[in-house]
Amino acid sequence: MRLRSTAVLALAAVGAFSLTGCSHSTSTTAESASAPAAVAQPKSEPKPATAPLSSAALRDRLLNESDLGQGYARKPDAGEKRHDDVTLVGCPALDKLGGDAATGGSLDFANEAKATFTYNGDTDSEVSEELYSDTTDKLSKGTGQIFNAMTSCPTFQIVTGSTPVDVATQKISAPHLGDEQWSHLLTYTAGGQRSVVKQTVIRSGNTMTILTGAPALVDAHVEKALRKATSR
């Protein structure tokens, strides 16, 4: 399937961490992948809908160097990229999502803001933050569909031009933050080199926080990112 221009949540990490060349990375032991059972909640009056935050408001809530601490530097914004030469092979569930399963752009939510940081100038130690805002139903349903598709395809391949990148995904337990949480490890292999990337997604109300990057950096900053993203 020739992919279209909007981005799938997990595959968006490819542009930042794999398409520029995989690097060696120490493997990380995955946590338990079992999700907690749903618990029935007492009925309550529905809360009034809250309008999505604007992109400008989201930009003000992104992490910055002072939030992250010494050694971090923000990478220049590269702007929106299209990867029209990217093809996904071996994942029917992502294929079925159609336009939602493409790379090189943004998730199909109303408003967004993004930033990427390196640690001590090491491109192998990057962490990217994405903030999205939309209705709670759209955030929940859209993200759940993508993660379910990823879970159904533990391995698949992305071909960029003539370069194949093997992708392995592993669902892991996410921190109990916000209203909904998703997390997984993505292992990219190309040219005999391997890179492990962690992605954690937290929905809190009508705001979604995504951290993608070196597993240790994602774990270190996810709570701080969520606090700032949901500050009022």
Side-chain angles (χ1 to χ4, degrees), residues 6-199:
T6 54
V8 72
L9 201 158
L11 299 186
V14 176
F17 298 95
S18 291
L19 301 187
T20 56
C22 292
S23 59
H24 292 292
S25 174
T26 303
S27 61
T28 303
T29 301
E31 304 166 70
S32 169
S34 59
V39 179
Q41 299 293 331
K43 292 183 178 180
S44 59
E45 292 297 322
K47 296 180 180 179
T50 303
L53 297 173
S54 67
S55 294
L58 292 174
R59 283 193 293 272
D60 289 339
R61 301 181 184 210
L62 287 168
L63 293 172
N64 54 41
E65 292 90 339
S66 61
D67 297 320
L68 294 170
Q70 187 174 2
Y72 286 89
R74 181 166 177 169
K75 294 181 68 175
D77 294 332
E80 200 71 16
K81 293 182 178 180
R82 294 177 61 94
H83 295 299
D84 293 329
D85 61 343
V86 177
T87 304
L88 184 147
V89 180
C91 188
L94 285 175
D95 184 50
K96 190 175 182 180
L97 287 180
D100 290 334
T103 62
S106 300
L107 296 174
D108 188 21
F109 298 128
N111 298 310
E112 65 176 76
K114 302 179 183 181
T116 299
F117 300 87
T118 58
Y119 181 62
N120 286 334
D122 185 356
T123 56
D124 293 342
S125 297
E126 289 190 355
V127 61
S128 292
E129 181 184 18
E130 299 173 62
L131 298 180
Y132 293 92
S133 189
D134 210 318
T135 65
T136 57
D137 285 347
K138 189 169 183 181
L139 290 175
S140 178
K141 182 178 179 180
T143 307
Q145 284 179 332
I146 293 170
F147 267 86
N148 288 340
M150 294 293 294
T151 303
S152 73
C153 300
T155 61
F156 56 91
Q157 190 175 75
I158 296 170
V159 181
T160 61
S162 60
T163 303
V165 179
D166 294 322
V167 184
T169 68
Q170 186 173 11
K171 180 181 176 182
I172 59 177
S173 60
H176 295 289
L177 301 169
D179 299 314
E180 289 185 284
Q181 318 86 20
W182 300 266
S183 193
H184 57 192
L185 293 177
L186 300 105
T187 301
Y188 302 107
T189 305
Q193 295 185 314
R194 187 169 67 99
S195 179
V196 178
V197 173
K198 185 171 186 177
Q199 188 165 64

